[in-house]
Amino acid sequence: MHRATRRVIWIMAAIMPIIAMGQGSESYQFLNITPSAHVYALGGQNISLVSNDIGLVNQNPALLGQEMSNKLSLNYMRYLGGSNIMGANYGIKAGTHGTVGIGLQYFGFGNMKGADENGTLTGDFGVHDIGISAIYSHDITDRLRGGIALKMITSNYEQYSALAISTDLGVNYFDPEHELSLSVAVKNLGGQIKKFDNTSDKLPWDIQLGWSQYIKDSPIRLSLTAYNLPRWKSPYYKTSNEPGEAPEYYTPKFVSNLFRHIVIGAEYAPSEKLFIGIGYNYKTRSDMSTYARNILSGFSIGAGFNVKAVGVSVALAQPHTGATTFMFNLSLNIAEFINR
């Protein structure tokens, strides 16, 4: 067995006992929304896609590589309830084996109406979060890469504000001969250094495992991502079969609970210039059982292409009948524009 392969297996085995120790958190969930249309097309979670798209580094800092030097990615997403997400990522080489990236993400949740304790309207106010990230990756061997991302998150909700610091850690193993990619990522480690109102909110830290591989002698790549592992029990509200009864708080059985931690993706990707992908997220589908989900709930689809120095990708999903989400990415190879 290749030495790098043994290292990845050892790392995976070492973190598994930690999985059962995690505690849930309901705050800062916007950090789990990917800004990558490629990832969103494949179900919204993927830490093992190896590509020259720098937009992938928000999923796993170990995906940042020197092939992304002087690459700029811009993203926009029309999310649920009129929310808007937008941002940018940029990468540059750092020595022979390192790469540095910077990123900015804006999460805007629209305007809301303010009111005092008597119900008197006090005017509209905006709600938004901003995340700024600095990323470094290093090629440990020709197949193994590690990465770290430091993130500062500022939140402004009416007159309340908060500041949090978090870290993502990742390792990726890529075997080009077998077109196999394996990843481990620990995400959103950290906490608040300024609270909203003397109330401490936890970050949604997570441990994720990822696998991506092309089917032999074909342009089809499959991906499996295991996520939300520190919170193994994953209950949700389930629609009652009796008319007029409130939904019940349901704890799924083992198999159903297992699939609520797995995202499946498949894509036609004959080269770096084109992909057409589809994903399935069972957790999204089951979470939406109370909210008029449709046959498309849990599924996502998208496509992307590159022409010379410009790349475009889009993704679409409809978690339930009242919400359609759309994501758009534009990538630019700045070096090619400069050298023209």
Side-chain angles (χ1 to χ4, degrees):
M1 183 182 295
H2 194 278
R3 181 180 299 175
T5 307
R6 290 198 299 268
R7 289 180 182 176
V8 173
I9 294 174
W10 181 87
I11 292 170
M12 289 182 174
I15 68 170
M16 289 306 290
I18 304 174
I19 292 175
M21 299 170 59
Q23 298 296 323
S25 172
E26 298 301 326
S27 302
Y28 291 91
Q29 290 296 325
F30 58 86
L31 294 173
N32 294 322
I33 304 173
T34 177
S36 167
H38 197 162
V39 172
Y40 198 66
L42 300 180
Q45 299 283 348
N46 194 305
I47 64 169
S48 55
L49 280 181
V50 174
S51 173
N52 60 7
D53 178 9
I54 193 171
L56 298 173
V57 303
N58 292 279
Q59 288 286 291
N60 180 359
L63 297 180
L64 177 66
Q66 295 204 338
E67 66 276 8
M68 300 176 185
S69 184
N70 292 314
K71 298 288 183 65
L72 173 66
S73 176
L74 305 174
N75 62 274
Y76 171 77
M77 182 180 191
R78 181 68 172 175
Y79 199 53
L80 304 174
S83 301
N84 293 280
I85 301 170
M86 61 190 73
N89 286 283
Y90 184 73
I92 191 168
K93 290 181 180 180
T96 306
H97 301 286
T99 312
V100 173
I102 56 174
L104 173 67
Q105 292 295 320
Y106 171 84
F107 305 87
F109 305 106
N111 289 325
M112 301 184 183
K113 293 186 180 298
D116 61 21
E117 63 272 17
N118 298 316
T120 303
L121 296 179
T122 58
D124 294 349
F125 63 92
V127 177
H128 68 266
D129 299 277
I130 297 175
I132 302 172
S133 59
I135 308 164
Y136 177 74
S137 70
H138 189 85
D139 294 328
I140 302 169
T141 71
D142 59 342
R143 297 189 178 190
L144 189 66
R145 179 184 295 159
I148 180 172
L150 300 177
K151 296 182 290 186
M152 180 177 70
I153 307 109
T154 63
S155 304
N156 290 276
Y157 302 166
E158 212 249 348
Q159 78 266 32
Y160 301 100
S161 63
L163 176 64
I165 301 292
S166 73
T167 301
D168 293 350
L169 303 171
V171 177
N172 174 256
Y173 169 78
F174 179 64
D175 179 358
E177 296 176 2
H178 299 92
E179 296 182 294
L180 166 68
S181 174
L182 300 171
S183 287
V184 181
V186 183
K187 303 168 70 171
N188 301 323
L189 295 173
Q192 287 182 314
I193 58 177
K194 180 188 176 186
K195 304 174 184 178
F196 278 111
D197 186 22
N198 298 320
T199 301
S200 180
D201 294 314
K202 295 180 180 179
L203 273 64
W205 79 280
D206 198 6
I207 297 173
Q208 300 184 355
L209 308 176
W211 167 84
S212 294
Q213 187 169 23
Y214 278 91
I215 297 176
K216 187 176 181 180
D217 300 325
S218 82
I220 305 298
R221 179 164 54 183
L222 303 178
S223 293
L224 286 177
T225 305
Y227 75 111
N228 204 27
L229 295 180
R231 294 159 287 276
W232 175 249
K233 291 184 179 180
S234 184
Y236 61 96
Y237 285 97
K238 185 178 182 181
T239 303
S240 174
N241 294 325
E242 298 296 329
E245 288 192 6
E248 62 176 315
Y249 195 61
Y250 176 72
T251 300
K253 298 185 182 300
F254 177 80
V255 174
S256 179
N257 191 74
L258 174 66
F259 277 97
R260 281 173 59 79
H261 292 276
I262 296 175
V263 173
I264 303 170
E267 57 185 319
Y268 171 75
S271 71
E272 291 283 354
K273 296 184 179 297
L274 173 69
F275 82 87
I276 302 172
I278 186 171
Y280 181 66
N281 189 321
Y282 177 71
K283 184 178 186 300
T284 298
R285 182 170 181 81
S286 53
D287 284 346
M288 291 295 106
S289 63
T290 312
Y291 302 98
R293 73 181 183 193
N294 58 23
I295 193 173
L296 299 177
S297 181
F299 287 95
S300 54
I301 191 170
F305 65 90
N306 292 298
V307 178
K308 295 183 179 180
V310 179
V312 174
S313 55
V314 296
L316 183 71
Q318 191 178 51
H320 63 90
T321 55
T324 299
T325 58
F326 174 78
M327 180 175 288
F328 172 80
N329 286 176
L330 174 65
S331 60
L332 303 171
N333 190 331
I334 303 300
E336 291 195 22
F337 283 105
I338 294 175
N339 293 332
R340 286 182 178 180

